[in-house]
Amino acid sequence: MRRDLHEANRWSWNAATAAHNTHKGDQAHFFREGGSTLHREELELLGDLPARSVLHLQCNSGQDTLSLARLGATVTGVDISDTAIEFARQLSAEAGIPATFHRADVYDWLAEAAERPERYDVVFSSYGALCWLSDLKRWAAGIAAVLAPGGRLVVVDFHPVWMMFDDDWALRYPYSGFDEDNVLLADEGVGDYVAFELRARVPGQPVPGVESFQNPHPAYEFCWGLGDIVTAILDAGLRLEALREYPASPYTLRPGMRLVGDRWYPPEAFPPMPLLFGIRAVRLPQ
């Protein structure tokens, strides 16, 4: 586990999250009016949530966490970023949607939670989460330890195949570390992907909030293939119930993508490829 790199990422996320939230308008009003930031991909895998206890790992600023709570779940969010958790707590209060938030490295929090009596019906993580984990086996084992018997893990994230491409759609990044060094250094740090998304959806329109954000803190990502991810989950004793691959994404990470309806596809020159994957795994009743 690369705790040193986790801490470096904490600083990079603190700076980026502050910029991201300047672009999102009155989020408390959005939630008070019934808004949700969840997508059909994760909703299908999550299933029924009323009266369920949900642990949302790497919850960022809490928008998805509060959307889960709106569906009737009792939700706890955990994130390494101080800025994100501070914002999430404020948003929860202003939106009038109860949720509990903890600022912690996910590994530390899971280890401490396993020593306490509470267990969760659902553990959830999504969209750009797994690339920040330096030890998948420890992550999966920590989740298995806090899941109630019969509880489920749901992950929806960007597919490792898509993450191999750079902004020019050239193959640049490794699919997996294949048991070797899998760390990628981003000197530019966590970027302002929220502003990028807004510009892509409404070309030529000004983006509210911080302009031309430059992150002063570098970031470190970890390359995991689908085999790495599934094997870690199986090794933790969870049973795989669903493995989905999706050819489109609700978010765009690369220039030149095509918006068809409400989903982004690769440029026309490319054949269909998986842009997202979804996993549901269950802890067997004892």
Side-chain angles (χ1 to χ4, degrees), residues 41-42 44-46 123-125 130 139 152-157 225-231 233-234 238-246 276-282:
E41 290 83 0
E42 53 263 36
E44 182 262 331
L45 292 168
L46 283 164
V123 176
F124 175 63
S125 190
L130 299 194
W139 166 81
R152 56 189 180 265
L153 165 67
V154 172
V155 177
V156 178
D157 212 330
L226 204 54
D228 302 320
I229 298 162
V230 172
T231 299
I233 291 169
L234 294 177
L238 303 181
R239 184 185 69 193
L240 190 66
E241 280 199 339
L243 174 59
R244 309 268 195 267
E245 294 180 291
Y246 307 94
L276 304 178
F277 71 90
I279 288 173
R280 184 173 64 237
V282 176

Side-chain angles (χ1 to χ4, degrees), residues 117-142:
E118 75 259 26
R119 293 294 179 264
Y120 295 88
D121 299 315
V122 180
V123 176
F124 175 63
S125 190
S126 69
Y127 299 108
L130 299 194
C131 65
W132 305 104
L133 300 173
S134 62
D135 188 335
L136 279 185
K137 290 184 179 293
R138 188 189 295 253
W139 166 81

Side-chain angles (χ1 to χ4, degrees), residues 139-209:
W139 166 81
I143 288 170
V146 301
L147 270 176
R152 56 189 180 265
L153 165 67
V154 172
V155 177
V156 178
D157 212 330
F158 301 116
H159 201 287
V161 166
W162 189 19
M163 302 310 292
M164 296 174 70
F165 292 90
D166 63 16
D167 284 351
D168 295 322
W169 287 90
L171 285 171
R172 178 180 176 186
Y173 304 109
Y175 175 81
S176 164
F178 296 107
D179 297 322
E180 303 294 335
D181 183 26
N182 68 336
V183 181
L184 296 178
L185 167 63
D187 286 315
E188 69 277 12
V190 179
D192 194 353
Y193 54 81
V194 178
F196 178 82
E197 182 83 16
L198 290 172
R199 293 189 187 100
R201 287 187 180 273
V202 190
Q205 294 297 313
V207 174

Side-chain angles (χ1 to χ4, degrees), residues 10-268:
R10 175 184 175 184
W11 289 104
S12 195
W13 273 105
N14 280 346
T17 301
H20 296 167
N21 282 311
T22 67
H23 306 308
K24 297 181 180 180
D26 188 345
Q27 296 183 68
H29 176 77
F30 170 78
F31 282 107
R32 287 195 300 267
E33 293 296 307
S36 173
T37 57
L38 297 173
H39 303 286
R40 56 181 178 266
E41 290 83 0
E42 53 263 36
L43 288 170
E44 182 262 331
L45 292 168
L46 283 164
D48 293 335
L49 291 180
R52 303 279 187 178
S53 58
V54 177
L55 173 61
H56 184 192
L57 297 177
Q58 296 166 275
C59 67
N60 197 257
S61 294
Q63 292 89 354
D64 284 1
T65 319
L66 299 186
S67 298
L68 293 165
R70 289 291 300 270
L71 295 175
T74 301
V75 189
T76 299
V78 180
D79 197 89
I80 198 169
S81 167
D82 313 76
T83 305
I85 291 300
E86 181 181 357
F87 186 93
R89 288 170 176 162
Q90 181 179 349
L91 181 59
S92 173
E94 293 180 355
I97 304 174
T100 302
F101 292 97
H102 299 278
R103 205 300 308 167
D105 188 311
V106 64
Y107 294 102
D108 295 336
W109 194 91
L110 286 171
E112 293 168 5
E115 300 297 322
R116 299 192 292 267
E118 75 259 26
R119 293 294 179 264
Y120 295 88
D121 299 315
V122 180
V123 176
F124 175 63
S125 190
S126 69
Y127 299 108
L130 299 194
C131 65
W132 305 104
L133 300 173
S134 62
D135 188 335
L136 279 185
K137 290 184 179 293
R138 188 189 295 253
W139 166 81
I143 288 170
V146 301
L147 270 176
R152 56 189 180 265
L153 165 67
V154 172
V155 177
V156 178
D157 212 330
F158 301 116
H159 201 287
V161 166
W162 189 19
M163 302 310 292
M164 296 174 70
F165 292 90
D166 63 16
D167 284 351
D168 295 322
W169 287 90
L171 285 171
R172 178 180 176 186
Y173 304 109
Y175 175 81
S176 164
F178 296 107
D179 297 322
E180 303 294 335
D181 183 26
N182 68 336
V183 181
L184 296 178
L185 167 63
D187 286 315
E188 69 277 12
V190 179
D192 194 353
Y193 54 81
V194 178
F196 178 82
E197 182 83 16
L198 290 172
R199 293 189 187 100
R201 287 187 180 273
V202 190
Q205 294 297 313
V207 174
V210 171
E211 297 183 8
S212 303
F213 170 72
Q214 299 292 319
N215 199 322
H217 305 288
Y220 300 85
E221 297 184 35
F222 304 90
C223 299
W224 301 114
L226 204 54
D228 302 320
I229 298 162
V230 172
T231 299
I233 291 169
L234 294 177
D235 285 349
L238 303 181
R239 184 185 69 193
L240 190 66
E241 280 199 339
L243 174 59
R244 309 268 195 267
E245 294 180 291
Y246 307 94
S249 167
Y251 302 106
T252 176
L253 294 183
R254 303 281 182 266
M257 295 187 71
R258 298 175 294 126
L259 183 61
V260 180
D262 60 355
R263 289 296 181 272
W264 293 93
Y265 290 79
E268 289 187 359

